[in-house]
Amino acid sequence: MQQKSKTLINSAQWLTLSTVFMLCYWPTYIIPALDDHTVQKVYFFIMLGYFLIVTLATRTTIKVPSTAYVYLFPIVAMLITFCFSVPNFSFFHISVLVKPFLLFLFVVFFYSLFTSHFDAINSDKIKKALTIIFVMQLIFILLQIVLGDIDVLMLFNSKKVYEGFGFRAPGTFDWVYITCYFLTFFLSVYIIEAFFGKNKLIALTFIACAFLAIFLSQSKTGYLATIIIAFYFTFLSVILRLGIATKILISMFTLLVLFIVFVIYFEINLDYVTRFLSYLLQGKMDGSTSTRTKQTIIALNEGFTYWYKGSPLALEGLIIENTYLDYLFRYGLFGLIAFISIIVIFYSYSLSVCINANKLYRKGLLNFQMFQLSVGCHMTFFAASLYSFTGTPIDAYRSALWSCFVISLSSYINTLIKRQSRLLSDSSRPEITTPQK
């Protein structure tokens, strides 16, 4: 009977971790009859269905973390602005309310599954599963570079690898800058492993591979964000008193030099980058930069003109590749405030969890893997604040669920911290004895 219970727990853990695999490796474009935008929307509902199946199969009790409610902020902003657009009310206004609510549910499901089936003793299994997911992503990127746009790989990714100038391998996240955003989590985890863990050689190999994937992405946003993230990581190491700030900077500079030498020696085609630099030196802008500049001007003009209800042009399908400005453009100042609130709260919350995880790890009350993951979670949301200037990592296809997973993981680690702190408090409390007569 005891053995049966143990098997049931293991099965529940496997199903819980399978949700993260589904997040990264569901073949979204398996139905050729549907266009990209449609199947991307369908993906959200497929994930919702899978979560429901896993939750029922594992008999998981639903728990709502406080961080999940942050995803409801955009709904409040939308409802306020829609009050000023009643004459033009359409299905569009109803449909946009669905995504924030789905993201709220995804956080609830992730958190419920992890808190129900993993505790302080077996939580290291989460880190192992994430390592497999990371390696699979590196392999997928390598296959894209070597094999190009073959049908099997295109089931997971709609963007062509070889198009225009050179290659850009986006992995399973469609956009190269989103892949860079995804890799930030693992870079942070394995940097901690390289300095403080036991598997230093493996960690250094993973760090080099992740940096190489970012370098070969030819994402200008990825390059700039990674440099800023490296400097921020040194700042975080000072806050956590890790004593590795200088080592991080030296390591990052060494890797940069090695990659430049690697590219020059093997004559790797980085035309996306070289073309941008060439235009920059001539005082011009390439197509991507020019498009984003025009979008910025439109978003600012329309957003502040219609600050109380959002621009009417949003109904025409105009896309703003900047989440801050996109919320301003679509939902006026209320939308901008809602999104900034999401970024600030997730950043602050994950930083608090990271600091507390470090304290408990030093006391031997939290395992090393959870401390690593807490750093990865915080660095991800710092990265989100940067990548949001040129894209939508918080609420775009697939990356939205990754962000949901990361904030859920941070909430789960915070729950472990509270449990362990409670145990410490109970053990240190003096026993009350009844004096003998």
Side-chain angles (χ1 to χ4, degrees):
M1 191 72 181
Q2 187 176 0
Q3 184 67 31
K4 184 177 180 181
S5 177
K6 184 177 179 181
T7 304
L8 178 62
I9 293 174
N10 288 336
S11 298
Q13 290 172 351
W14 184 90
L15 285 170
T16 297
L17 294 171
S18 73
T19 60
V20 191
F21 281 90
M22 278 283 290
L23 187 168
C24 296
Y25 301 110
W26 169 256
T28 306
Y29 305 97
I30 198 170
I31 307 175
L34 299 177
D35 62 85
D36 292 351
H37 294 293
T38 302
V39 293
Q40 287 171 10
K41 292 176 182 176
V42 170
Y43 162 81
F44 281 93
F45 291 97
I46 289 174
M47 286 300 300
L48 178 62
Y50 189 74
F51 270 117
L52 288 171
I53 292 171
V54 171
T55 300
L56 292 173
T58 56
R59 299 178 182 179
T60 299
T61 302
I62 294 297
K63 304 172 186 176
V64 184
S66 58
T67 50
Y69 293 108
V70 177
Y71 276 105
L72 301 182
F73 289 0
I75 294 181
V76 175
M78 291 172 187
L79 292 175
I80 293 173
T81 56
F82 291 169
C83 291
F84 298 98
S85 305
V86 174
N88 299 319
F89 200 78
S90 65
F91 178 74
F92 165 82
H93 295 85
I94 299 175
S95 63
V96 294
L97 293 169
V98 175
K99 185 190 287 186
F101 183 68
L102 287 177
L103 298 182
F104 166 82
L105 291 179
F106 293 144
V107 174
V108 171
F109 281 124
F110 273 129
Y111 178 78
S112 300
L113 289 166
F114 280 104
T115 52
S116 297
H117 307 298
F118 292 91
D119 54 29
I121 298 174
N122 57 36
S123 58
D124 60 317
K125 294 181 181 180
I126 300 173
K127 161 78 183 313
K128 293 176 182 177
L130 288 171
T131 298
I132 295 172
I133 288 172
F134 170 66
V135 172
M136 287 175 63
Q137 192 69 207
L138 292 178
I139 293 172
F140 193 91
I141 291 172
L142 178 63
L143 291 174
Q144 285 182 318
I145 294 173
V146 174
L147 303 177
D149 302 311
I150 63 173
D151 292 340
V152 174
L153 297 181
M154 294 294 284
L155 294 176
F156 302 86
N157 167 67
S158 66
K159 306 296 180 186
K160 291 186 177 180
V161 178
Y162 288 89
E163 185 178 41
F165 296 89
F167 63 87
R168 306 181 80 185
T172 60
F173 284 84
D174 272 63
W175 296 276
V176 286
Y177 76 91
I178 291 295
T179 301
C180 296
Y181 168 69
F182 169 78
L183 292 174
T184 298
F185 175 88
F186 296 97
L187 268 175
S188 307
V189 168
Y190 293 112
I191 286 174
I192 296 295
E193 180 74 38
F195 285 109
F196 303 105
K198 297 178 181 178
N199 303 312
K200 296 183 185 297
L201 182 59
I202 294 175
L204 289 171
T205 303
F206 284 163
I207 291 169
C209 290
F211 267 112
L212 183 59
I214 292 173
F215 199 71
L216 295 179
S217 72
Q218 300 197 62
S219 168
K220 300 185 291 292
T221 301
Y223 289 179
L224 181 59
T226 302
I227 292 171
I228 296 173
I229 288 166
F231 282 107
Y232 179 77
F233 204 111
T234 62
F235 170 71
L236 180 65
S237 69
V238 173
I239 294 177
L240 299 179
R241 298 180 182 179
L242 300 179
I244 58 173
T246 304
K247 294 178 182 178
I248 292 174
L249 290 176
I250 294 174
S251 301
M252 297 304 104
F253 179 76
T254 303
L255 275 174
L256 178 62
V257 172
L258 289 175
F259 285 144
I260 292 174
V261 172
F262 174 83
V263 169
I264 294 174
Y265 182 80
F266 288 100
E267 298 181 349
I268 295 176
N269 185 346
L270 295 178
D271 280 351
Y272 277 98
V273 177
T274 56
R275 185 166 61 103
F276 168 74
L277 293 175
S278 176
Y279 274 102
L280 186 65
L281 292 173
Q282 297 174 31
K284 301 177 182 179
M285 292 185 290
D286 63 352
S288 175
T289 308
S290 176
T291 300
R292 283 189 167 90
T293 301
K294 292 176 182 177
Q295 290 176 357
T296 299
I297 295 171
I298 293 173
L300 288 173
N301 288 336
E302 292 288 311
F304 285 112
T305 300
Y306 301 98
W307 64 269
Y308 55 96
K309 66 173 184 178
S311 172
L313 295 177
L315 297 173
E316 299 177 12
L318 182 63
I319 298 174
I320 306 297
E321 296 174 281
N322 177 318
T323 316
Y324 299 99
L325 295 180
D326 186 57
Y327 272 79
L328 173 66
F329 173 71
R330 293 177 180 276
Y331 314 113
L333 288 177
F334 299 106
L336 178 61
I337 292 170
F339 182 73
I340 291 176
S341 298
I342 292 174
I343 291 293
V344 171
I345 291 173
F346 283 172
Y347 168 85
S348 303
Y349 180 83
S350 60
L351 176 60
S352 174
V353 172
C354 186
I355 292 172
N356 291 330
N358 180 45
K359 290 178 181 177
L360 258 67
Y361 165 64
R362 290 177 183 272
K363 293 178 181 179
L365 296 172
L366 192 71
N367 64 38
F368 178 60
Q369 291 83 359
M370 288 300 102
F371 167 58
Q372 282 181 282
L373 295 181
S374 73
V375 175
C377 290
H378 176 61
M379 293 304 299
T380 294
F381 286 112
F382 175 75
S385 68
L386 302 176
Y387 282 99
S388 292
F389 281 104
T390 56
T392 53
I394 296 294
D395 64 358
Y397 152 76
R398 208 185 288 271
S399 67
L401 267 82
W402 175 251
S403 297
C404 287
F405 164 71
V406 174
I407 195 60
S408 303
L409 180 59
S410 191
S411 300
Y412 164 71
I413 296 171
N414 189 49
T415 299
L416 285 185
I417 291 170
K418 290 180 179 178
R419 288 176 183 173
Q420 295 302 100
S421 298
R422 198 176 299 119
L423 290 174
L424 177 63
S425 177
D426 292 341
S427 63
S428 61
R429 188 177 301 162
E431 294 184 4
I432 301 175
T433 57
T434 303
Q436 296 180 354
K437 294 183 180 179

